[in-house]
Amino acid sequence: MFKQFLKLTLFNLILVGSVQAYFPINFFRTYDINFRTERWENEKFKLSTLIEGGLTLQGRNFDGDKVNVLQIWDKDIDALTMLRGFPRDSAIGEFFIDSELSAVNDDGKRGHLLPLGTLDAVGYSLYGQFYLPQNFSFISFLPLYSMKLKNVEFKDLTEGFTDDDIRVKSQLTDNFAKLVKDLGGLSVGPWQQTGLGDLVSFFEWSRNYPQMKRRLKNVHIDVRAGFTAPTGVQKDEDVMFSIPFGNDGSWGLLFGGGLDLRWGSHVQAGVDVEFLQLFGTEKCRRIKTDKDQTDLVLLAKTKVFKEMGFNQRYNIYFEGHNLYKGLSARLAYQYLKRTDERLFINGNDFSSEIANSAVSLEDWTIHEFIFLLKFDFYDICKQSKMVPYLTLFYKLPFNGTRSVAAQTLGLDISFSF
Amino acid sequence: MSKRIFLNIFIFISFLFCKSFVFGQKIADFNLGSHRFYTESENYTNFFCYMGSAEAVDKNAYSLARIKRLKKKGESYKLEALAPEKIKLNGHPGQVNPLNGAKISLLNLITLYPVVVKEGDNKIYFMASISEDPKMESTLYSSKEVNDANRKPCSKILSMAIMQNPSLLGNCIFLAVKNNKGEVFGSEGSGIAVAFFNDDKLDLEEKNVKTGKIDKKSTKIIDLRLYNAELKDKPELEEKVADASDDKKKQKEDKKLDEKKPKGPMIPKADNKAVSINGSIDAVKINNDAVIMSDIVDMHWDKELNTLYVAVTVKSGNVENSGARAVFRGQISQDNIQAKKLKLLPIALDHVFKGNNNIVGTGEPNQEVSIQKVRTLHTSTLLDYLIVVGGNGSESAVGNKVYALPLVNNQKEINLLHEIKDVKEKRNIDVLRKALVAKHGSLAKYNQAPKDYYNNEFFLTRSFVQEANSSNDLVTNNESSARVGLEDLPLQSNEKISDIFIVNDSVFVTIANDYNGITTPGIFHSQAIFDDKGRIASWTKWLRVAGMDTPVLGAGLDVSIGAFWYIAKDSSTNKSTVNVTKWSKDEDQLASFLNNQFLTKQGGVQGFFDISKNNPGFNNFSIMIATGFKKIGLIETGSVKNGVYRATKDISKKVALFDDKSLEPVGPIVTADVSNNVITRDSWIIVGGVGGIAVLCDKNGICWKNKISSLSDIPNGLTFKKIGDYAFVKKIQSDGKFLYVMTGKKLDKIELSAESFKSGKLNVVKLADSLAQPGLVFNDFAVSDKFGLLATSKGLFRVGNGKNIITAKNSEQVSWTFVKVPEAVDVIAKLFLISPTGNDLDYAKKGQVYVLSAYRGTNQTKLNRLFVNLENEINDSTITPVNDLFIKNQLSSFFEFNSFREKFWTNGSLLMSICSTDLNSDLSLNILSPRVVCSAKSVMIRNYLVDLEIEKIYQMGNVVRNSASGALMINGSFGLRVNA
């Protein structure tokens, strides 16, 4: 037993996987059930590696329309309301008055900036599965991300026919980036980040129930439960659209299960559900100080406790199994959802009600299809100590709200021992 | 310079003898005699105009009619005939309607239901129900013939007032009646009759259709009963009438029970006798008998003071020490309303009337006092005033005078008597109470400090409690506080106004006479100005309202939509039309024209300014200036026609547009003025905006000299010349010698001279500079004589004690001094000036300043009002807050809005707040509930959104009153909207 424990620990240290529930993106979910391979006879453990690259990363707004990634929460940045909600004697309040912007109304165009940017993401990850007695196994993931926000620009929508327009241009939108940095310490330029994601570990019980029926030949059931640990790079509150490589410092409980049915030798289908409950954390975060502020650029930063949303993933697939010498093809539909989050502000300087009006706290969803081509080398290599398993996949997001949906291409290589 | 032409049309509603009501189309003619306006006090959703015919026309179902506004938004109007041929009369269905085709001489209302008197009749009729279903009959009740004070049928009912009560049975109708012989009012037998409502039952026989038998049916009806309300008579009492009931057994049982019980309250016999009114009653005469001179009698019941005010024309006796009062009070005992006695009381004690200038009375013999109309005003500072038309003099000498006199309100003192715990004092409660009741509603000592009442430290109300007890206590007719309109109405003294009505702090008067000498028809208004104690300190001069100058028989203000209803008379045809003002865009040709010239995509009309005929550069001529993106328009609003200054009708030929290259450096133009140097008699049109200021002048720096009388008098070939080195100019104002220029960071004073405009070398005095103080921004300023106010982001500042802004050479000599604005937001955003003369430059001469403090960052807005009284030198009491209170001994703001507001406008009756469309709010133009008083909070006040018929308002300007026509106008990104 002690040896097994050591092995488990070793896996945890060297194997990588990923979980990404905090930020509304479908990138890097390598513990996805669709990438899981079958366990073969006498298999002791499995080591996998995955590389995934974004072909395009497209944002989806509230209505589900395709938008720039920087517009998933709001269609633009409202630089005028950005300055509201601060005490008159604060630095921002003083600037607001001194610049005479406090006398300017927000007519929907004045002080509005269209944010544009390109998000690139590349990832590499490893995960391992250690088989235990009684159909149990232990699985652990740790990801490695590299993300880049580039080509950032702000298109000023302010017109120039009134004194207010011209005042807003001269005082606010013409030097927006510098102003935001000076007043709120927030960098709105491009960024690049590479680092670890959150560790995910769970136990899984799975078992095949061979069927002697005319068509139905096998039923496979699996149930899993585990946790996520905050090992990933956290969100940088001083960088616009900073993406945490995990759950932003939160621990989480993961649980789920699935059912796979196989008819004959080549037809397989299944369903799977998985839930992740994250624990709230308290840290300095950017909050809204006016209900009309837009989420992308917020100047107020204060210590808040965040009650995390409940994450759900639903998966349905249809597979042509072992069509030719270990080659399988799968089409999966996946639905990802996170429920609303809530902020609890320490102190009376800011309004919790206003802070909680942030769109980014609202639920988000992603619908996607995943096409997989799998090649199982078991028949070829069953005599060897190591059996490889190759998966090529293509993710095609087709709908969603308030999220970044990545159209990705990836490759997963597993080695069974 | 190009000139464009347009017509100014009035959108009017006319009706009559028709069953439909079409907006903007005259359908039929009608001759109106009497009218009343009614709005539901709960939510002001509907508004009604009741009208009575001025002539008898056979089978005219519209002899009594009403128009109602059905909805607040997207107004629709409905005309209803209220006098069909058949009606349920006194409980009997299918009767001939006595009002059908009649001439209605008097019309009043009990809530929605009319009480009328028809010409040549001495009965009163009460319409208890109005059926909108043609199959159902409305219900009408009539009284018996109204008797005079000699118990003989009166010859005529002259006036009517109604004491309204939540319960119908508590309502009381007062009728001023002439004696049976038809002699002038005040002759023996004339008086005030009193009618009450009683429950009654009516036995009806109805043929049963099935059985053919006659069924007896008993229904409850109303008995409109006249009483002998004369207090000096011995009570002629009868037992209280038992409730109507068909159950005979129960009646018997009740009778037995009643016999055992002590006798209940007694009521006087309904013997229908008017209370005698003549020159010898104590309420009228002073020392010796006076004589009531004419049939002009007006009565007004004040529901807050529970007092009837009666106005007559009286002449004092010719014996020494004689005097007379032309106004007296009537009170129905509140102890036992069933006593139904009208107690007549003098308006003030005998000995306080000295001389012949006390407005409602005289202390001299053989003098006439003529009061033609009487009303009451309850100010937003919670004090009570009597408003009278007339004064000391004969009827033909005072028809154009309106006065306000403070009244005692002892209601709170009377209530406080119940809290007396001391046994000895308790014994005297009745005595104290009677003394207080006797003073209640009488003229108050005009210079007293009002008494404030609190409930657990929270402000409740305020009253004058000391009655006038000496001749020095009575306000006289030369006091600015008493003189509504500060001067005579634009009406010859021997003519009479057609109507007077009061809304909040404003008095409105309608004139139905045609242009004749000084007489100008239309609706005029004057607004009360309050001092630091909440008393009326002065009034604004009469200003025209409603955007027209036709003869008007009567008018009302539909406060929830800010619309005037008025009944216009066509003297040539003797017909009348009912009109409603409306915020119009395309219907108004000025608006239509400007909307096409100042396009929304270019910011629309960014500034709109009224330059009245009082401008030193104008000779009975007035203009408005519209400003926009590199463009201004001058609109001639009024000029002399046939020797009389009148609003321009054909404005289409009276617009001058300036949009040449000379305005390009200014960019968006937000402010404009016609500035003058009264010494050199030069005048200039000066504009300001993002790019600085520019003056319209020739190469010698001259625009025009002396006075001009029309736009065509402005010389050709003038161009705008940029002067100074300014940017983001917010406001300019001139005072006859200097031009004051304010940007967000500085306030300068520039000497107005052609020479400096020619050379470009300006003589500039820096009055204030905020560059050295971060966070200090100038938002508004106002200059009046040597006084000046500067609204900043760090509070309100005034010119320092003993200083003079006119002579100041630098900011040190102005010595800006902080003015504490109670409970205001630090950021003073706007000043709204109420000047007695109507000229903003005179606001320091007993004027009011509304201070809007607002900070968008925290969505806060408060409104304060200050009283400015510059007498000689500026000192600490030159500007003082009006004592608006919420908590004891803690001055407060007048009103706190529940969201950010940019601007404010009031005429004393309407309180409008303005805010450009913002993501936080789309309530662009709001009217606050009709009754905003000093202790009101936003949660208690309704906001009515004015429908400007615009989908998206990017920018709202100011509400501006056209000084020529009285129309309200508002500019913005949409162009212009005109309320007329």
Side-chain angles (χ1 to χ4, degrees):
Chain A
M1 272 310 278
F2 182 70
K3 282 184 179 177
Q4 285 182 351
F5 177 76
L6 279 177
K7 283 178 181 173
L8 271 174
T9 310
L10 185 64
F11 280 134
N12 271 341
L13 291 173
I14 62 168
L15 301 185
V16 289
S18 81
V19 63
Q20 180 54 267
Y22 177 82
F23 195 79
I25 191 167
N26 63 341
F27 199 63
F28 287 128
R29 292 173 186 275
T30 52
Y31 67 114
D32 193 315
I33 191 74
N34 291 299
F35 303 141
R36 217 72 61 73
T37 57
E38 285 183 66
R39 181 186 180 187
W40 298 115
E41 244 181 303
N42 302 319
E43 188 177 349
K44 298 285 191 303
F45 70 92
K46 186 182 289 171
L47 189 64
S48 297
T49 181
L50 180 146
I51 186 160
E52 183 179 14
L55 296 176
T56 59
L57 278 86
Q58 187 81 52
R60 293 273 181 175
N61 65 10
F62 169 76
D63 295 322
D65 298 331
K66 285 181 183 176
V67 292
N68 186 278
V69 288
L70 298 181
Q71 298 167 22
I72 58 170
W73 296 311
D74 300 287
K75 63 181 178 182
D76 53 34
I77 295 170
D78 189 341
L80 271 174
T81 57
M82 175 187 83
L83 299 167
R84 296 181 186 174
F86 295 92
R88 290 186 288 280
D89 55 1
S90 65
I92 297 170
E94 276 199 1
F95 168 79
F96 195 34
I97 293 168
D98 201 39
S99 60
E100 299 179 59
L101 294 170
S102 64
V104 177
N105 68 305
D106 181 345
D107 64 2
K109 290 185 288 186
R110 184 179 297 138
H112 285 245
L113 298 145
L114 197 66
L116 298 168
T118 308
L119 188 66
D120 281 350
V122 177
Y124 171 76
S125 66
L126 287 173
Y127 75 90
Q129 185 167 10
F130 186 81
Y131 295 101
L132 303 171
Q134 302 295 324
N135 299 309
F136 281 96
S137 61
F138 178 79
I139 307 172
S140 199
F141 301 81
L142 194 66
L144 181 70
Y145 293 161
S146 180
M147 297 189 103
K148 187 201 283 187
L149 180 69
K150 60 182 185 182
N151 303 330
V152 175
E153 60 173 312
F154 301 98
K155 194 176 166 189
D156 191 357
L157 302 177
T158 310
E159 294 179 337
F161 295 110
T162 68
D163 60 334
D164 285 346
D165 287 345
I166 295 167
R167 181 173 284 113
V168 165
K169 275 176 176 286
S170 66
Q171 297 285 343
L172 184 61
T173 56
D174 284 353
N175 53 354
F176 177 70
K178 182 177 182 307
L179 198 72
V180 170
K181 184 73 181 170
D182 291 348
L183 293 174
L186 180 68
S187 166
V188 295
W191 53 259
Q192 188 168 7
Q193 178 82 49
T194 302
L196 286 177
D198 278 4
L199 171 76
V200 181
S201 299
F202 55 87
F203 286 95
E204 185 175 66
W205 177 87
S206 65
R207 186 176 166 186
N208 288 312
Y209 292 92
Q211 304 290 311
M212 295 302 161
K213 294 179 181 169
R214 186 166 165 247
R215 289 200 173 89
L216 184 65
K217 297 300 177 192
N218 188 49
V219 173
H220 176 262
I221 295 171
D222 78 278
V223 181
R224 55 193 174 274
F227 66 93
T228 69
T231 55
V233 173
Q234 295 187 22
K235 181 181 179 182
D236 185 345
E237 294 289 344
D238 292 332
V239 174
M240 183 188 75
F241 207 66
S242 169
I243 297 175
F245 292 176
N247 294 314
D248 201 25
S250 294
W251 288 82
L253 284 178
L254 182 80
F255 49 99
L259 175 72
D260 304 274
L261 303 173
R262 185 177 299 160
W263 292 273
S265 303
H266 303 299
V267 180
Q268 185 169 314
V271 294
D272 188 85
V273 293
E274 192 170 273
F275 305 109
L276 174 65
Q277 178 63 61
L278 296 171
F279 297 104
T281 57
E282 188 175 69
K283 60 187 266 192
C284 267
R285 290 188 165 95
R286 295 213 171 248
I287 59 158
K288 283 175 74 169
T289 54
D290 182 278
K291 66 182 174 61
D292 289 316
Q293 281 173 349
T294 44
D295 287 29
L296 195 61
V297 181
L298 297 172
L299 299 184
K301 200 167 76 169
T302 188
K303 203 166 188 182
V304 294
F305 177 82
K306 189 174 203 176
E307 184 183 275
M308 301 295 187
F310 186 62
N311 297 274
Q312 301 151 51
R313 190 186 68 187
Y314 304 92
N315 190 79
I316 301 171
Y317 74 91
F318 178 82
E319 182 176 303
H321 182 71
N322 200 5
L323 297 171
Y324 179 74
K325 292 185 176 178
L327 178 70
S328 301
R330 176 181 286 200
L331 172 64
Y333 161 74
Q334 206 165 70
Y335 173 60
L336 307 168
K337 181 178 180 177
R338 193 212 65 202
T339 59
D340 292 352
E341 296 181 323
R342 265 189 76 75
L343 298 177
F344 297 88
I345 295 173
N346 286 338
N348 296 319
D349 292 343
F350 300 101
S351 157
S352 283
E353 188 187 342
I354 291 172
N356 280 299
S357 65
V359 183
S360 56
L361 298 175
E362 293 178 21
D363 66 321
W364 58 261
T365 60
I366 296 172
H367 298 261
E368 63 186 358
F369 287 119
I370 306 174
F371 303 94
L372 300 106
L373 273 179
K374 303 178 179 182
F375 195 81
D376 188 345
F377 292 87
Y378 179 76
D379 287 340
I380 301 167
C381 310
K382 58 185 169 188
Q383 300 304 323
S384 66
K385 289 183 178 179
M386 183 187 74
V387 178
Y389 196 105
L390 186 69
T391 305
L392 268 171
F393 64 89
Y394 168 62
K395 278 187 197 171
L396 178 66
F398 64 93
N399 209 340
T401 54
R402 302 184 200 91
S403 54
V404 176
Q407 194 184 143
T408 63
L409 204 56
L411 175 67
D412 180 286
I413 303 169
S414 298
F415 298 95
S416 296
F417 299 93
Chain B
M1 177 174 29
S2 57
K3 295 182 180 178
R4 298 300 174 99
I5 299 169
F6 60 88
L7 281 169
N8 181 15
I9 60 163
F10 289 87
I11 303 309
F12 68 92
I13 301 168
S14 47
F15 79 98
L16 303 168
F17 290 137
C18 59
K19 288 182 180 176
S20 63
F21 187 73
V22 180
F23 190 80
Q25 182 185 343
K26 190 171 179 179
I27 298 162
D29 300 323
F30 194 66
N31 190 1
L32 285 171
S34 48
H35 64 272
R36 283 278 163 179
F37 294 95
Y38 176 77
T39 187
E40 291 160 332
S41 59
E42 289 299 315
N43 52 22
Y44 302 91
T45 307
N46 295 325
F47 192 85
F48 297 83
C49 173
Y50 288 80
M51 299 149 295
S53 172
E55 58 188 346
V57 178
D58 194 32
K59 293 189 176 176
N60 178 14
Y62 291 86
S63 58
L64 182 64
R66 72 175 180 184
I67 301 172
K68 64 179 178 183
R69 177 176 56 73
L70 300 170
K71 294 182 290 182
K72 196 182 90 58
K73 230 181 167 186
E75 296 85 30
S76 62
Y77 300 87
K78 187 180 178 187
L79 170 69
E80 293 174 319
L82 302 182
E85 283 187 65
K86 300 282 183 183
I87 202 162
K88 190 174 184 181
L89 181 64
N90 294 327
H92 298 275
Q95 303 298 303
V96 173
N97 186 349
L99 301 181
N100 180 255
K103 175 182 175 182
I104 306 297
S105 59
L106 295 172
L107 169 60
N108 212 322
L109 294 171
I110 294 176
T111 63
L112 277 172
Y113 303 102
V115 180
V116 299
V117 173
K118 66 175 185 173
E119 186 72 14
D121 197 2
N122 57 7
K123 293 176 183 172
I124 46 175
Y125 297 89
F126 170 59
M127 206 159 178
S129 72
I130 297 171
S131 170
E132 295 187 20
D133 180 356
K135 293 174 187 171
M136 299 278 288
E137 285 184 327
S138 300
T139 309
L140 184 73
Y141 292 101
S142 72
S143 72
K144 292 177 182 173
E145 287 187 318
V146 179
N147 281 351
D148 66 8
N150 292 329
R151 287 195 172 92
K152 290 179 181 173
C154 69
S155 58
K156 188 172 184 182
I157 301 171
L158 295 172
S159 179
M160 173 165 53
I162 293 177
M163 178 180 89
Q164 291 207 29
N165 201 292
S167 146
L168 180 65
L169 299 184
N171 290 315
C172 168
I173 302 170
F174 303 100
L175 303 152
V177 297
K178 293 178 78 165
N179 68 13
N180 180 261
K181 295 174 191 168
E183 292 168 331
V184 70
F185 187 78
S187 305
E188 192 202 355
S190 55
I192 296 174
V194 179
F196 278 90
F197 292 84
N198 290 281
D199 269 343
D200 202 353
K201 66 172 184 175
L202 177 71
D203 294 325
L204 289 173
E205 291 183 344
E206 201 172 274
K207 191 175 180 180
N208 190 313
V209 183
K210 288 181 181 173
T211 62
K213 288 180 181 177
I214 302 295
D215 290 343
K216 286 191 175 178
K217 201 171 143 188
S218 183
T219 58
K220 268 193 172 183
I221 61 165
I222 294 164
D223 175 19
L224 185 51
R225 196 184 299 182
L226 291 142
Y227 287 83
N228 172 11
E230 197 152 30
L231 193 64
K232 66 183 179 185
D233 283 0
K234 285 183 181 176
E236 298 166 76
L237 305 173
E238 63 182 9
E239 287 177 28
K240 186 184 178 185
V241 180
D243 291 337
S245 167
D246 286 333
D247 192 337
K248 289 180 181 175
K249 282 182 184 176
K250 189 174 181 301
Q251 278 185 353
K252 283 180 183 174
E253 284 168 11
D254 288 346
K255 200 174 178 183
K256 283 178 187 174
L257 283 170
D258 284 347
E259 283 169 1
K260 291 175 186 173
K261 284 181 184 172
K263 293 290 179 190
M266 307 296 276
I267 61 171
K269 276 186 178 174
D271 65 350
N272 190 359
K273 178 178 178 295
V275 179
S276 182
I277 303 291
N278 53 54
S280 62
I281 64 170
D282 291 340
V284 174
K285 72 172 187 181
I286 294 176
N287 297 328
N288 299 297
D289 285 356
V291 180
I292 294 176
M293 306 282 292
S294 86
D295 284 347
I296 296 175
V297 185
D298 194 40
M299 295 195 294
H300 172 73
W301 175 265
D302 184 279
K303 65 180 180 182
E304 291 190 30
L305 293 168
N306 275 315
T307 300
L308 177 73
Y309 291 95
V310 185
V312 294
T313 298
V314 71
K315 188 174 186 180
S316 57
N318 52 14
V319 183
E320 200 178 345
N321 294 332
S322 295
R325 284 165 284 232
V327 176
F328 56 90
R329 292 175 289 153
Q331 291 179 346
I332 294 281
S333 169
Q334 291 301 299
D335 284 347
N336 183 1
I337 203 161
Q338 288 177 323
K340 293 181 170 53
K341 293 294 178 189
L342 176 64
K343 187 178 183 180
L344 299 180
L345 295 161
I347 191 70
L349 300 172
D350 289 8
H351 65 271
V352 303
F353 290 96
K354 298 281 185 211
N356 192 33
N357 60 358
N358 296 130
I359 304 167
V360 292
T362 178
E364 292 183 357
N366 214 21
Q367 294 293 332
E368 281 187 44
V369 187
S370 310
I371 302 298
Q372 294 159 11
K373 300 273 184 194
V374 62
R375 299 286 184 274
T376 47
L377 180 151
H378 305 286
T379 67
S380 58
T381 52
L382 294 168
L383 293 173
D384 309 288
Y385 284 84
L386 189 73
I387 304 294
V388 294
V389 179
N392 296 94
S394 66
E395 266 180 33
S396 61
V398 294
N400 55 6
K401 298 181 195 308
V402 185
Y403 294 102
L405 302 97
L407 291 173
V408 170
N409 186 344
N410 274 333
Q411 196 55 57
K412 207 70 201 163
E413 293 290 307
I414 293 166
N415 295 344
L416 288 173
L417 289 176
H418 299 298
E419 294 174 15
I420 292 177
K421 289 175 183 169
D422 185 272
V423 180
K424 284 182 185 175
E425 282 188 22
K426 266 193 168 181
R427 286 177 198 151
N428 293 325
I429 280 181
D430 274 353
V431 179
L432 292 169
R433 193 176 179 287
K434 279 180 183 171
L436 289 171
V437 168
K439 293 176 190 174
H440 183 67
S442 67
L443 293 186
K445 181 181 176 179
Y446 84 100
N447 50 3
Q448 69 181 290
K451 186 172 181 182
D452 296 335
Y453 297 91
Y454 300 89
N455 180 16
N456 294 330
E457 304 289 308
F458 287 98
F459 178 76
L460 274 184
T461 189
R462 173 182 294 142
S463 302
F464 290 122
V465 292
Q466 298 174 53
E467 66 174 335
N469 204 15
S470 80
S471 59
N472 293 330
D473 293 348
L474 269 193
V475 70
T476 56
N477 55 14
N478 54 6
E479 290 282 343
S480 63
S481 64
R483 199 74 203 275
V484 182
L486 281 187
E487 55 189 21
D488 292 345
L489 278 161
L491 180 75
Q492 294 187 45
S493 63
N494 61 343
E495 294 175 324
K496 291 178 179 58
I497 64 163
S498 52
D499 195 12
I500 181 169
F501 65 98
I502 290 157
V503 182
N504 295 338
D505 296 330
S506 276
V507 175
F508 294 86
V509 166
T510 62
I511 294 175
N513 304 67
D514 279 318
Y515 277 100
N516 177 21
I518 62 165
T519 300
T520 55
I523 311 173
F524 296 87
H525 114 287
S526 177
Q527 173 184 356
I529 292 168
F530 302 105
D531 68 10
D532 58 327
K533 294 186 170 58
R535 302 172 300 200
I536 293 175
S538 186
W539 291 85
T540 59
K541 282 189 177 178
W542 292 112
L543 297 172
R544 182 183 291 284
V545 297
M548 52 81 205
D549 61 350
T550 52
V552 175
L553 290 168
L557 181 59
D558 190 349
V559 287
S560 67
I561 60 170
F564 281 99
W565 289 58
Y566 62 92
I567 300 165
K569 186 183 85 174
D570 184 338
S571 305
S572 56
T573 60
N574 212 24
K575 307 297 182 191
S576 315
T577 52
V578 176
N579 305 262
V580 183
T581 63
K582 178 179 183 287
W583 289 100
S584 55
K585 46 176 182 177
D586 298 328
E587 299 93 331
D588 184 280
Q589 288 203 357
L590 172 61
S592 179
F593 174 76
L594 292 181
N595 297 349
N596 287 327
Q597 290 296 327
F598 294 84
L599 301 175
T600 299
K601 65 180 181 183
Q602 292 190 335
V605 178
Q606 298 180 29
F608 202 63
F609 308 90
D610 180 79
I611 315 292
S612 79
K613 63 173 182 164
N614 299 321
N615 187 286
F618 293 161
N619 176 29
N620 270 333
F621 161 65
S622 56
I623 64 167
M624 297 188 96
I625 305 176
T627 69
F629 185 63
K630 300 176 182 177
K631 183 185 284 187
I632 71 161
L634 306 181
I635 304 123
E636 182 177 309
T637 54
S639 59
V640 172
K641 287 186 183 61
N642 301 324
V644 181
Y645 169 78
R646 295 183 68 170
T648 305
K649 297 285 182 197
D650 185 6
I651 294 184
S652 57
K653 292 179 180 172
K654 306 291 182 183
V655 178
L657 275 181
F658 295 84
D659 54 359
D660 55 48
K661 284 187 176 176
S662 66
L663 279 174
E664 278 194 4
V666 189
I669 301 167
V670 296
T671 181
D673 188 37
V674 175
S675 304
N676 331 91
N677 185 323
V678 292
I679 299 162
T680 63
R681 308 184 77 173
D682 278 308
S683 296
W684 299 269
I685 292 167
I686 302 177
V687 298
V690 171
I693 53 175
V695 58
L696 184 70
C697 59
D698 62 14
K699 59 183 179 182
N700 294 316
I702 294 170
C703 189
W704 75 80
K705 269 198 176 288
N706 301 319
K707 293 175 183 253
I708 58 170
S709 302
S710 75
L711 279 181
S712 57
D713 291 345
I714 299 175
N716 289 324
L718 305 179
T719 55
F720 277 96
K721 182 179 180 184
K722 192 166 178 283
I723 55 168
D725 183 23
Y726 295 95
F728 289 103
V729 174
K730 287 183 175 178
K731 185 175 178 179
I732 58 173
Q733 186 189 5
S734 64
D735 65 355
K737 189 179 178 189
F738 297 105
L739 177 73
Y740 296 86
V741 180
M742 189 192 77
T743 69
K745 296 293 177 187
K746 61 182 175 181
L747 173 64
D748 283 356
K749 182 174 73 172
I750 301 170
E751 190 176 347
L752 288 160
S753 89
E755 190 55 41
S756 60
F757 294 151
K758 179 187 173 186
S759 64
K761 292 173 184 171
L762 304 178
N763 183 5
V764 179
V765 175
K766 285 192 175 178
L767 297 175
D769 192 338
S770 75
L771 289 173
Q773 299 178 59
L776 179 63
V777 171
F778 302 152
N779 294 323
D780 203 353
F781 79 99
V783 173
S784 177
D785 198 0
K786 63 178 75 171
F787 186 75
L789 285 173
L790 184 60
T792 77
S793 57
K794 292 191 174 176
L796 182 67
F797 294 84
R798 65 167 170 85
V799 174
N801 291 354
K803 305 294 180 185
N804 184 340
I805 197 167
I806 299 170
T807 57
K809 302 288 184 206
N810 50 47
S811 60
E812 286 73 31
Q813 288 186 12
V814 179
S815 183
W816 292 107
T817 305
F818 183 72
V819 178
K820 184 164 172 52
V821 184
E823 293 186 351
V825 180
D826 296 344
V827 182
I828 308 295
K830 279 281 168 195
L831 303 174
F832 183 77
L833 311 172
I834 306 291
S835 164
T837 63
N839 182 351
D840 280 356
L841 287 172
D842 294 329
Y843 78 87
K845 299 165 185 171
K846 283 194 175 179
Q848 203 99 72
V849 178
Y850 283 85
V851 177
L852 191 77
S853 57
Y855 180 56
R856 201 189 291 271
T858 47
N859 212 20
Q860 281 179 292
T861 310
K862 291 186 178 185
L863 183 68
N864 287 69
R865 43 188 181 175
L866 307 173
F867 175 58
V868 191
N869 187 16
L870 175 63
E871 288 175 326
N872 295 312
E873 291 298 309
I874 296 169
N875 55 41
D876 287 342
S877 59
T878 299
I879 183 164
T880 45
V882 174
N883 61 342
D884 292 320
L885 293 169
F886 188 66
I887 294 169
K888 195 172 185 177
N889 299 328
Q890 194 174 315
L891 283 172
S892 169
S893 54
F894 173 45
F895 184 73
E896 182 174 354
F897 294 86
N898 54 13
S899 63
F900 177 80
R901 310 302 291 164
E902 288 173 344
K903 289 156 195 156
F904 171 79
W905 182 89
T906 184
N907 62 357
S909 54
L910 296 172
L911 288 90
M912 292 182 179
S913 67
I914 302 154
C915 193
S916 303
T917 298
D918 189 87
L919 295 175
N920 265 327
S921 163
D922 60 354
L923 304 173
S924 42
L925 181 59
N926 263 17
I927 297 178
L928 293 178
S929 156
R931 185 96 172 119
V932 181
V933 294
C934 63
S935 58
K937 290 287 169 189
S938 59
V939 288
M940 309 172 195
I941 302 298
R942 284 170 185 274
N943 277 294
Y944 296 98
L945 178 64
V946 177
D947 184 11
L948 296 174
E949 296 181 20
I950 308 161
E951 266 186 36
K952 178 90 175 172
I953 300 173
Y954 296 104
Q955 204 76 29
M956 289 287 284
N958 288 307
V959 173
V960 180
R961 185 184 148 276
N962 178 341
S963 57
S965 73
L968 290 186
M969 300 178 173
I970 188 158
N971 64 295
S973 54
F974 45 84
L976 188 74
R977 293 290 181 275
V978 180
N979 185 272

